[in-house]
Amino acid sequence: MTYKPTTLAARAGEHAKETPSRPLVEPIYQNTVFAFDDLDHMEQVFSEQTPSNGGIYYRFNTPNHLTLEGALAALEKTEDAVCAASGMAAIAAALQAVLQQGDHLIADQQAYGGTYTLLTQELPRWGIEVTLLDITDAEAVEQAITPRTRLIHVESLTNPLMTTVNFPALIELAHSKGVLVSVDNTFATPALFRPAEHGADLVSHSLSKYLSGHSNALGGALAGRKDLIQQARLRLIRQGATLSAFDAWITLQGLKTLGLRMRAHTHNAQAVADVLSNHPRVAAVYHPGLGDHPQFDLAADLFPDGFAGMLSFELRGDLNTFIRRLQGKIPLAPSLADVNTTLSYPWTTSHRSLSEQRKLELGIRPSLLRLSVGIEDIEDILDDLEDALNH
């Protein structure tokens, strides 16, 4: 059939022919909707009776989303995974998948500032009671569990003080009481720690951090039991909080080098922690690989391959002078996990929404800096830090 130019332009590429070869790297599927052969085919896909490698609608999935979700489930060793528009969207979906009005949640008081705000300001509006406590205190956790407790939310390594918890014991306690456990595994990544292997029911990530690794993608992910992921997926779709195909594709590219990057991050962060802990201008260093860390032995057992690239330290003297000395070398940036080393100030960034009193109670002081150690040559990182510290 011969079509007019307007029709040919509108339908250009719509029915691209298959080629004898295939792309080595998955292409971006930026189209917002997919076509079906007939009503039966559409119903089969929508009801999930057949695999949907071609996607449905951008908000539901695309091949890029499906590939990334499959990779994340495999990495975390879970039944399923779903992508979200951000790490916070993934955590919110995890909570909504489990909790409803009248339920009770227990969470670590050391939770990331954004999570802390979600738990303390938004969940009460949903009619959900929240108890924040020291998650490392097993007796306090057990006493806090009530008949209405449905979920315990923790982080594999906390932001910014790098604490952890005895996950096997915590999860065993929770499950013995009929309570599920959700773990934010952003800092550790499945390259270093897999909470589901210890029995965690849900595992969340900010894809914007180590999984993508280059500060060029925004997204989140949730992995876990298939029934829970299905509930989370429905919430994300209904609330329009799903990931873009472009960010899924970018994350897939970064994910290919996760293992290599995490080994470099881990090695460099340990070396930086060792040096900073012996510098006269540094009052304290928070890193699980240091012998004076309160959970040194537990962390070594849980994370035999290391603790990723994060650490925090308290500085004696003027912070701004130190920060300015680093400009052009180690930038001040309110995020983390880039291949380049970056510095952050939790007091006014990640924990900005907390009151001064609450921050101090949690050990987050105005003298605290968080360092995301990159994969550069370790001698160069140390030279930059020592130059700024010694002036």
Side-chain angles (χ1 to χ4, degrees), residues 5-17:
T6 302
T7 304
L8 290 173
R11 297 182 180 178
E14 186 176 298
H15 304 291
K17 294 181 179 179

Side-chain angles (χ1 to χ4, degrees), residues 230-309:
Q230 178 61 18
Q231 288 299 313
R233 188 185 301 276
L234 289 173
R235 271 61 183 184
L236 290 166
I237 291 172
R238 290 169 181 171
Q239 297 173 37
T242 47
L243 183 66
S244 78
F246 180 77
D247 287 305
W249 183 82
I250 286 287
T251 301
L252 280 167
Q253 310 318 306
L255 202 61
K256 295 176 185 297
T257 59
L258 177 66
L260 295 173
R261 288 186 285 105
M262 294 312 291
R263 283 197 287 273
H265 284 299
T266 294
H267 171 269
N268 286 354
Q270 182 66 58
V272 170
D274 290 338
V275 169
L276 291 182
S277 65
N278 290 300
H279 198 284
R281 282 204 61 195
V282 177
V285 179
Y286 302 93
H287 185 271
L290 296 176
D292 61 355
H293 189 281
Q295 297 157 318
F296 173 76
D297 291 331
L298 172 64
D301 183 54
L302 289 173
F303 303 88
D305 296 320
F307 315 103

Side-chain angles (χ1 to χ4, degrees), residues 104-107 129 131 133 135 137-152 169-181:
H104 175 235
L105 164 78
I106 296 172
E129 182 186 357
T131 298
L133 45 70
I135 207 71
D137 186 340
E139 184 177 347
V141 174
E142 185 167 12
Q143 290 177 352
I145 295 175
T146 76
R148 295 186 296 108
T149 307
R150 297 288 179 267
L151 186 68
I152 296 176
L170 175 69
I171 294 169
E172 182 180 6
L173 169 63
H175 286 176
S176 73
K177 304 288 186 179
V179 177
L180 303 182
V181 178

Side-chain angles (χ1 to χ4, degrees), residues 150-380:
R150 297 288 179 267
L151 186 68
I152 296 176
H153 179 75
V154 295
E155 296 172 7
S156 52
L157 291 166
T158 64
N159 178 1
L161 297 180
M162 299 295 289
T163 60
T164 190
V165 66
N166 188 332
F167 282 97
L170 175 69
I171 294 169
E172 182 180 6
L173 169 63
H175 286 176
S176 73
K177 304 288 186 179
V179 177
L180 303 182
V181 178
S182 168
V183 181
D184 183 340
N185 198 32
T186 295
F187 270 25
T189 82
L192 301 176
F193 184 66
R194 291 162 295 279
E197 291 185 335
H198 299 281
D201 303 283
L202 289 166
V203 183
S204 56
H205 283 279
S206 170
L207 296 176
S208 319
K209 308 306 188 295
Y210 285 120
L211 293 184
S212 62
H214 298 78
S215 294
N216 57 4
L218 177 66
L222 190 64
R225 279 174 26 196
K226 194 171 188 65
D227 60 324
L228 296 175
I229 295 302
Q230 178 61 18
Q231 288 299 313
R233 188 185 301 276
L234 289 173
R235 271 61 183 184
L236 290 166
I237 291 172
R238 290 169 181 171
Q239 297 173 37
T242 47
L243 183 66
S244 78
F246 180 77
D247 287 305
W249 183 82
I250 286 287
T251 301
L252 280 167
Q253 310 318 306
L255 202 61
K256 295 176 185 297
T257 59
L258 177 66
L260 295 173
R261 288 186 285 105
M262 294 312 291
R263 283 197 287 273
H265 284 299
T266 294
H267 171 269
N268 286 354
Q270 182 66 58
V272 170
D274 290 338
V275 169
L276 291 182
S277 65
N278 290 300
H279 198 284
R281 282 204 61 195
V282 177
V285 179
Y286 302 93
H287 185 271
L290 296 176
D292 61 355
H293 189 281
Q295 297 157 318
F296 173 76
D297 291 331
L298 172 64
D301 183 54
L302 289 173
F303 303 88
D305 296 320
F307 315 103
M310 302 304 302
L311 62 92
S312 292
F313 62 99
E314 292 187 46
L315 191 67
R316 295 187 176 98
D318 181 61
L319 268 64
N320 262 328
T321 300
F322 171 74
I323 291 168
R324 291 187 185 113
R325 289 285 304 177
L326 287 173
Q327 292 314 297
K329 304 171 183 176
I330 297 177
L332 179 68
S335 192
L336 58 100
D338 197 294
V339 291
N340 298 317
T341 301
T342 60
L343 190 71
S344 185
Y345 188 52
W347 185 265
T348 59
T349 58
S350 63
H351 288 70
R352 187 182 188 90
S353 63
L354 279 66
S355 68
E356 290 192 7
Q357 179 181 347
R358 189 57 177 151
K359 282 185 279 195
L360 293 173
E361 290 172 350
L362 295 174
I364 300 169
R365 290 178 272 273
S367 58
L368 184 73
L369 293 167
R370 189 191 69 200
L371 193 68
S372 174
V373 184
I375 65 172
E376 309 99 320
D377 189 286
I378 185 57
E379 292 184 5
D380 293 329

